[in-house]
Amino acid sequence: MKTYLQKINETTPTRMWVNNPLPSEAEKGLKAGVFGATSNPTYLTHMLKDQETVDDTIQAIDRHIRETKDDHLVVALAYEDMIHKIAEIFIPLFERTHREQGWVAIQGNPYRDDDVDFILEEAHRFYAVSPNIVVKVSATLAGIAAMEKLTSEGHAVLATAGVSNYYAEKMFEAYERGVQAAGKAPTLFVTTLAAPFEGYAKKYVGANQIDCAPDLVEKAGIEMSKHMYRIWKEKYSHLNCRLMGGGVRTERHFTEMVGGDMHVTCGWKFIDELNRKNPAVESRIDDVISEEEREKLFQKIPAFKRAYEEDGMLEAELSAHPPFQLFRNGFLTAWDSLLSIVRERRILLEK
């Protein structure tokens, strides 16, 4: 019997990536039929929690402590070392598909998301890790500028932390400018993160004691992403770019995107469980909420209106968008924990 992912790959244009994988999970994902692998600034925290990778991760941290006094750089360099293992696993797929599949994504220091010069310097170092590396840049003005510059240099980019359609449109527009400057069209992926937006919406409603049906609140992120898909299909599908969902928490965060010519990144355990369940493949990308429901979400959750509408924000508001701030806070928290580990290891390694 064919697995759910095999059926998805054979009958729909929707593609799945594996997120923050252990090397063994990357191997399993590759065999299962994933398109590539993603990671984010929490990556080393996962590697430090698993027996498969904890020793290698500590060794990488210790090695770079001896090379630099910059604790942030130690974290980034150790991250590079660990993600290189994943890139090596996907290189054969990357080469066999002539650079279409087998990409492996890495994301830099979240404390420097507003520093375009730093983003570019870090990105150039990341690209040297492996030919199939795609660098993630964040949903800030600096991230948009960096993506345009990297595109103009011919690099593949993954625009991440996408919790507004205004941001996605700005990325696509900047990509077009970068393509014109490059004279060619390197790959671009732009995230539209239904699950993290839903997480924000639930916390916002709870914190402010807003009367809104839970099942409607759950639809906010998916509705934002489906609207962005319609915008992409109408205005940007002729470009060498795709939308990518991520931050998947439950089955609907993937299954509601099925049928769309887009990608979604998921943890290996989620992928494995979905294959075990093996539900029917149903195209749901065009199933949307009613206008009445949408208006109620606009009224109850102001950030949803700003995220949904193409012109819902101003450029200067990107970094201040509450769902983005909440999403990035998770990365900052993980990065802080890694800095603490680096400081501890530095003390222990003192002679």
Side-chain angles (χ1 to χ4, degrees):
M1 180 183 294
K2 290 182 179 179
T3 67
Y4 181 74
L5 183 50
Q6 286 174 331
K7 292 186 292 185
I8 287 290
N9 287 341
E10 291 178 8
T11 64
T12 82
T14 313
R15 295 294 177 262
M16 186 182 283
W17 297 46
V18 61
N19 187 46
N20 282 337
L22 300 165
S24 62
E25 292 174 335
E27 295 276 9
K28 292 173 185 175
L30 186 62
K31 292 177 182 177
V34 299
F35 192 94
T38 55
S39 66
N40 58 48
T42 70
Y43 188 66
L44 286 187
T45 64
H46 299 293
M47 299 304 102
L48 286 164
K49 292 175 183 176
D50 197 281
Q51 288 300 311
E52 177 184 337
T53 48
V54 62
D55 289 342
D56 286 348
T57 306
I58 290 295
Q59 288 172 16
I61 289 171
D62 289 353
R63 180 167 59 253
H64 295 300
I65 282 174
R66 297 184 179 98
E67 298 171 351
T68 178
K69 294 183 178 181
D70 183 339
D71 290 350
H72 286 273
L73 184 57
V74 170
V75 173
L77 291 173
Y79 180 8
E80 287 178 37
D81 289 351
M82 298 306 292
I83 211 66
H84 181 257
K85 299 175 186 292
I86 308 302
E88 286 184 320
I89 292 168
F90 279 91
I91 271 286
L93 176 63
F94 183 72
E95 294 175 343
R96 188 169 65 250
T97 60
H98 305 289
R99 301 173 65 91
E100 179 187 356
Q101 302 178 37
W103 292 102
V104 174
I106 184 171
Q107 183 176 347
N109 185 343
Y111 277 102
R112 305 297 291 274
D113 282 345
D114 293 302
D115 185 339
V116 65
D117 292 332
F118 180 88
I119 295 170
L120 291 171
E121 178 184 354
E122 188 175 55
H124 290 139
R125 194 181 70 241
F126 287 160
Y127 285 122
V129 170
S130 181
N132 58 334
I133 286 292
V134 55
V135 172
K136 298 172 74 174
V137 298
S138 200
T140 62
L141 286 177
I144 293 171
M147 187 280 297
E148 181 176 342
K149 176 62 174 174
L150 293 170
T151 298
S152 74
E153 296 172 352
H155 293 297
V157 179
L158 198 165
T160 191
V163 283
S164 75
N165 292 340
Y166 175 83
Y167 154 74
E169 287 240 70
K170 289 301 176 184
M171 275 293 185
F172 286 130
E173 292 169 2
Y175 174 71
E176 288 188 285
R177 296 192 297 269
V179 166
Q180 290 177 352
K184 58 181 179 180
T187 302
L188 172 70
F189 302 99
V190 176
T191 58
T192 176
L193 303 180
F197 189 92
E198 178 189 313
Y200 162 79
K202 288 179 175 178
K203 289 182 178 180
Y204 175 83
V205 167
N208 293 280
Q209 299 181 328
I210 294 169
D211 182 19
C212 190
D215 62 339
L216 181 57
V217 176
E218 286 182 350
K219 297 175 181 178
I222 290 170
E223 187 68 12
M224 175 195 72
S225 292
K226 288 185 174 182
H227 185 51
M228 188 62 241
Y229 178 75
R230 293 192 294 274
I231 295 169
W232 170 84
K233 194 172 181 180
E234 177 183 340
K235 299 170 64 174
Y236 305 108
S237 58
H238 64 285
L239 301 173
N240 184 26
C241 59
R242 287 292 184 278
L243 286 172
M244 179 183 287
V248 169
R249 298 290 182 272
T250 66
E251 192 172 305
R252 67 176 178 275
H253 296 142
F254 180 81
T255 57
E256 286 294 326
M257 302 297 117
V258 169
D261 188 2
M262 65 179 291
H263 299 194
V264 183
T265 185
C266 315
W268 169 249
K269 291 178 181 177
F270 174 90
I271 297 170
D272 191 40
E273 180 62 24
L274 202 54
N275 274 338
R276 291 178 190 278
K277 289 183 178 179
N278 204 3
V281 174
E282 299 178 24
S283 179
R284 296 178 181 171
I285 190 66
D286 295 320
D287 297 344
V288 297
I289 63 178
S290 67
E291 185 174 344
E292 180 182 355
E293 288 176 310
R294 190 178 306 116
E295 288 297 325
K296 184 170 290 187
L297 284 173
F298 283 167
Q299 177 187 0
K300 299 289 187 177
I301 308 172
F304 174 71
K305 183 176 177 65
R306 295 197 295 273
Y308 182 90
E309 295 180 341
E310 298 169 58
D311 58 353
M313 292 190 290
L314 300 173
E315 284 188 347
E317 297 173 330
L318 279 171
S319 296
H321 185 43
F324 169 74
Q325 289 184 317
L326 186 64
F327 185 63
R328 181 164 65 171
N329 187 58
F331 293 159
L332 295 173
T333 300
W335 200 266
D336 287 342
S337 72
L338 293 167
L339 290 173
S340 177
I341 290 170
V342 170
R343 288 192 297 270
E344 178 179 297
R345 295 301 299 177
R346 197 180 289 281
I347 293 167
L348 294 174
L349 292 171
E350 281 289 334
K351 300 295 186 180

